[in-house]
Amino acid sequence: MDDMKLTKEIVKAARGLIGFSALQLAEASGVALDTVKSFESGRNKSLSADNQDRVQKALELAGVQFLESGATSDGDGVALRTGEP
């Protein structure tokens, strides 16, 4: 997952899976709440490499498993299918 770029949709979905609020993610990651909210709302199109790493690690520590295209999960969960159903 090192090369995967987090999107606002991925971060919001990951938070939803573990029941994290934006505030909880900010606290767990050490990233400012305004940065999390700006990213998730689309005001900021991307996170800095450092902030992305912090957000990813905080979500992983809370139980999220990030999947690259074609990867499979170690447990129950959901993934977004690309292309036509």
Side-chain angles (χ1 to χ4, degrees):
M1 184 12 233
D2 293 330
D3 295 333
M4 183 175 169
K5 184 170 176 94
L6 293 182
T7 64
K8 66 181 184 178
E9 294 84 5
I10 290 171
V11 172
K12 286 195 269 188
R15 281 198 309 104
L17 284 172
I18 57 173
F20 260 30
S21 67
L23 176 60
Q24 287 171 303
L25 177 57
E27 290 173 346
S29 65
V31 173
L33 177 59
D34 186 55
T35 299
V36 172
K37 287 184 171 185
S38 293
F39 175 64
E40 288 188 354
S41 72
R43 284 189 318 232
N44 289 342
K45 300 297 181 200
S46 63
L47 294 169
S48 69
D50 183 52
N51 283 344
Q52 175 168 310
D53 187 53
R54 289 171 182 249
V55 165
Q56 179 183 336
K57 286 183 176 158
L59 291 168
E60 288 173 338
L61 284 172
V64 172
Q65 179 187 359
F66 290 93
L67 303 174
E68 293 183 18
S69 180
T72 58
S73 171
D74 289 337
D76 293 339
V78 297
L80 181 63
R81 178 179 51 223
T82 59
E84 294 296 318

